[in-house]
Amino acid sequence: MILLKKLIFAPFFLVIFALLVYKLKSVFISFDFIFTLSPDTLTGLLSFFALPLIISPLTMFASFLFILFASIASDWKIVIPVGIIASLIPMIFLDPVYGLILMVGILVSLLLAFVFLESTLKSYVTFNPYSLLGPQIKNLSIFLILIISFICFLSINKSVPPEGFQISESFLNPPRASSSQPPVSNEQIDLLKENPQILKQFGLDPAILDSLNLSGQSDMTNELVNQTIKDQLQLLIDTLNPYARFIPLVLSVLLFFNLFSAFFILNFFLHLLLFLTFYILEKTGFIKFTTEMREVKKLVV
């Protein structure tokens, strides 16, 4: 029965942690869209910076469940196996290279968190969930955020193309609706002008040939404008290319601050979460508190 109590929060921690790692797949995807000026670039960046709204709550809740589990288990023989199982989860969902780095980082973070937690639980006088467990949850969450940001840096750095920024062909030449009518060349238009009776046989007015010619001129004008814009954008991109190698660092730092900012906001609810958790555990008889009277040695002159 005692062993079951010590293990009861382990499955909840492993499930939430597995969900966190699964969601990280969207962080460690290819970042080619950043270096290609295309309609998908803005959408990709917005999705990237919206990730903290999902990752930060999962990180904090996973840290909360691990510290809760470790504080109740309070046994190396129980905590270490669960920590090893959690560290192996990234190898299931992520690329082997990123999974290995995340596995080592997670295992070290969980072990350090338990070391600090055990030291705290051995030295406290009055049990207060927030003052004892709150700092451990925060520290573990920050460790995990640092690891996530570091692997994000590696993932973006891997996506940096040798030629730097590029312009996608679809940016200036969006796909047009296909037509069943083949294009009419200038030679064909001139031939029909010389023989208008051919069009009259089909009930067509020869004046439509002038509109076809204007349409061709319009297409040539559009191509000229597009090429001019493309040349100007390419000039701008050539200026920015020397700084392309700094993009991975900048984006990973921004991701860290976004994750940390979201966690900082969620941290205001941590006190209430710890209070309600231990209140429920005490009222249900899962845990109990005892009061001790201790002798105090004082100096008297």
Side-chain angles (χ1 to χ4, degrees):
M1 185 64 180
I2 298 297
L3 180 61
L4 179 62
K5 279 188 173 183
K6 291 184 176 184
L7 285 171
I8 195 167
F9 288 103
F12 296 101
F13 161 66
L14 292 175
V15 169
I16 296 299
F17 191 76
L19 181 59
L20 169 63
V21 176
Y22 176 77
K23 291 297 183 181
L24 288 178
K25 289 175 60 178
S26 56
V27 179
F28 307 142
I29 58 174
S30 173
F31 289 89
D32 295 339
F33 66 88
I34 296 175
F35 303 95
T36 303
L37 185 59
S38 68
D40 297 330
T41 303
L42 181 59
T43 303
L45 288 174
L46 289 176
S47 300
F48 175 75
F49 288 112
L51 285 172
L53 299 178
I54 301 175
I55 302 300
S56 290
L58 288 175
T59 301
M60 191 192 78
F61 199 44
S63 301
F64 163 76
L65 287 173
F66 177 78
I67 296 299
L68 179 63
F69 152 71
S71 62
I72 292 178
S74 192
D75 188 344
W76 279 94
K77 297 178 181 179
I78 297 176
V79 176
I80 289 181
V82 173
I84 293 175
I85 294 174
S87 66
L88 293 175
I89 292 177
M91 300 299 295
I92 301 175
F93 297 107
L94 303 180
D95 178 270
V97 176
Y98 302 143
L100 182 61
I101 298 174
L102 192 58
M103 179 186 73
V104 174
I106 288 170
L107 184 59
V108 172
S109 298
L110 295 180
L111 293 181
L112 287 176
F114 181 66
V115 170
F116 294 138
L117 176 65
E118 190 178 38
S119 176
T120 300
L121 293 178
K122 286 182 178 179
S123 59
Y124 76 88
V125 177
T126 301
F127 185 83
N128 183 303
Y130 184 73
S131 61
L132 294 177
L133 306 185
Q136 311 304 327
I137 296 173
K138 296 176 187 176
N139 292 337
L140 179 55
S141 298
I142 293 174
F143 283 148
L144 294 177
I145 289 174
L146 281 171
I147 296 171
I148 293 171
S149 301
F150 175 68
I151 300 180
C152 179
F153 166 77
L154 296 179
S155 180
I156 302 176
N157 193 57
K158 182 181 178 182
S159 301
V160 178
E163 61 275 9
F165 294 98
Q166 294 178 320
I167 303 177
S168 172
E169 289 296 330
S170 61
F171 185 73
L172 292 177
N173 299 304
R176 299 179 180 179
S178 60
S179 173
S180 59
Q181 297 292 338
V184 181
S185 65
N186 290 332
E187 290 79 6
Q188 292 172 327
I189 294 176
D190 294 337
L191 181 61
L192 291 174
K193 285 183 176 180
E194 295 174 359
N195 302 277
Q197 66 275 9
I198 298 177
L199 294 176
K200 293 179 179 180
Q201 291 178 0
F202 293 95
L204 298 175
D205 187 354
I208 64 172
L209 296 176
D210 296 332
S211 62
L212 289 175
N213 191 32
L214 290 174
S215 176
Q217 294 177 1
S218 176
D219 291 339
M220 293 179 61
T221 302
N222 290 337
E223 291 180 5
L224 181 61
V225 172
N226 286 343
Q227 186 61 43
T228 303
I229 296 175
K230 186 175 181 179
D231 291 341
Q232 293 298 321
L233 289 175
Q234 189 62 52
L235 181 62
L236 176 62
I237 286 177
D238 291 339
T239 305
L240 296 176
N241 273 339
Y243 305 98
R245 64 182 183 274
F246 297 110
I247 296 296
L249 178 61
V250 172
L251 288 180
S252 57
V253 170
L254 288 176
L255 177 64
F256 170 79
F257 281 110
N258 283 343
L259 289 172
F260 184 79
S261 298
F263 169 76
F264 181 77
I265 296 173
L266 293 170
N267 184 55
F268 289 103
F269 300 95
L270 184 57
H271 188 288
L272 178 62
L273 180 61
L274 285 168
F275 171 78
L276 291 176
T277 299
F278 280 91
Y279 178 81
I280 294 173
L281 291 178
E282 183 182 11
K283 292 302 180 182
T284 56
F286 187 85
I287 61 172
K288 62 181 180 179
F289 295 99
T290 59
T291 303
E292 297 179 355
M293 301 297 293
R294 298 183 182 183
E295 292 184 357
V296 178
K297 184 178 181 181
K298 294 185 177 181
L299 174 64
V300 178
V301 179

